[in-house]
Amino acid sequence: MQRVLVMGSSGSGKSTFARRLSDITGIPFISLDALYWRPGWATSDNAEFGQRVAEVARQPQWVIDGNYTRYGAGELRREVSDTVIWFDLPRRTCMFGIMKRIASSYGRVRPEMAEGCPERIDFEFFRYVWTYRRQQRPKLLEYFQGLRADQSFVCFTDRMQADDYLKEITVKLSRASIH
């Protein structure tokens, strides 16, 4: 495990998971949101964003958090990744996740966000998460069709599975350091 994509709906827990995986393995954490957004919630130029992500994707190790498959060097990331982790959680879990996140960090910039993008209430974002399973999930399923047999694909349908996965990684790494 050297190049890991962590994908799924906003509010699913993927950023928290990706940071924890990075901490456990020592593999650098990269947030696509931090690369995409500019201060004041301004969007990046798609071509410029794609170039920044391509530079990151060419690095030997990373845990990349986020989707952006169309214009975030999506094909390159899929091609060079060795592991894809997908948070395929129910709508209610993701909606609760974003509401909890807003309540706990409103007005502050979260660690995985770009500077100048404080947590806020954004009804368009709520709608994006609410419609994610119908509108975005099919696009990710299509994206995953391009994975090769030598790539690991892990799908979590609840957060406990993600926690168990991290515990397993911790145990494996502890055993490896003993030998």
Side-chain angles (χ1 to χ4, degrees):
M1 178 185 305
Q2 298 297 310
R3 292 175 168 163
V4 184
L5 293 176
V6 181
M7 307 177 88
S9 177
S10 301
S12 64
K14 69 183 182 304
S15 299
T16 300
F17 174 90
R19 280 193 314 274
R20 288 177 58 202
L21 181 63
S22 171
D23 290 345
I24 291 166
T25 62
I27 298 171
F29 168 76
I30 308 295
S31 168
L32 293 182
D33 281 340
L35 295 176
Y36 181 73
W37 293 102
R38 297 283 165 240
W41 291 98
T43 59
S44 289
D45 171 76
N46 290 344
E48 178 188 324
F49 173 62
Q51 288 177 326
R52 284 196 305 268
V53 176
E55 288 174 23
V56 167
R58 290 186 183 102
Q59 298 301 314
Q61 291 186 312
W62 39 255
V63 175
I64 293 180
D65 160 38
N67 300 328
Y68 297 95
T69 57
R70 281 188 322 189
Y71 45 87
E75 300 298 318
L76 173 62
R77 284 184 285 128
R78 181 181 60 201
E79 179 184 313
V80 300
S81 67
D82 56 50
T83 306
V84 175
I85 297 174
W86 181 31
F87 279 73
D88 188 25
L89 276 58
R91 174 193 300 164
R92 69 183 175 280
T93 303
C94 297
M95 292 298 293
F96 180 74
I98 63 168
M99 287 185 242
K100 183 178 170 189
R101 178 171 82 197
I102 290 168
S104 67
S105 59
Y106 184 80
R108 294 191 317 268
V109 177
R110 290 181 286 120
E112 68 273 8
M113 284 307 300
E115 279 301 314
C117 295
E119 191 64 48
R120 62 187 180 164
I121 295 173
D122 179 347
F123 293 106
E124 184 65 27
F125 180 61
F126 286 161
R127 191 172 69 144
Y128 172 81
V129 176
W130 184 261
T131 62
Y132 179 87
R133 288 190 70 79
R134 185 177 72 246
Q135 294 183 358
Q136 303 304 319
R137 186 178 185 272
K139 295 173 189 175
L140 277 183
L141 288 170
E142 185 178 322
Y143 180 78
F144 298 145
Q145 292 300 310
L147 292 171
R148 300 181 312 273
D150 67 318
Q151 292 170 300
S152 295
F153 180 76
V154 179
C155 177
F156 301 134
T157 55
D158 67 50
R159 291 190 181 134
M160 286 197 48
Q161 292 170 332
D163 290 340
D164 290 345
Y165 183 88
L166 291 173
K167 288 175 190 168
E168 288 175 27
I169 296 286
T170 302
V171 168
K172 285 179 187 176
L173 290 174
S174 294
R175 286 182 184 152
S177 69
I178 293 171
H179 299 291

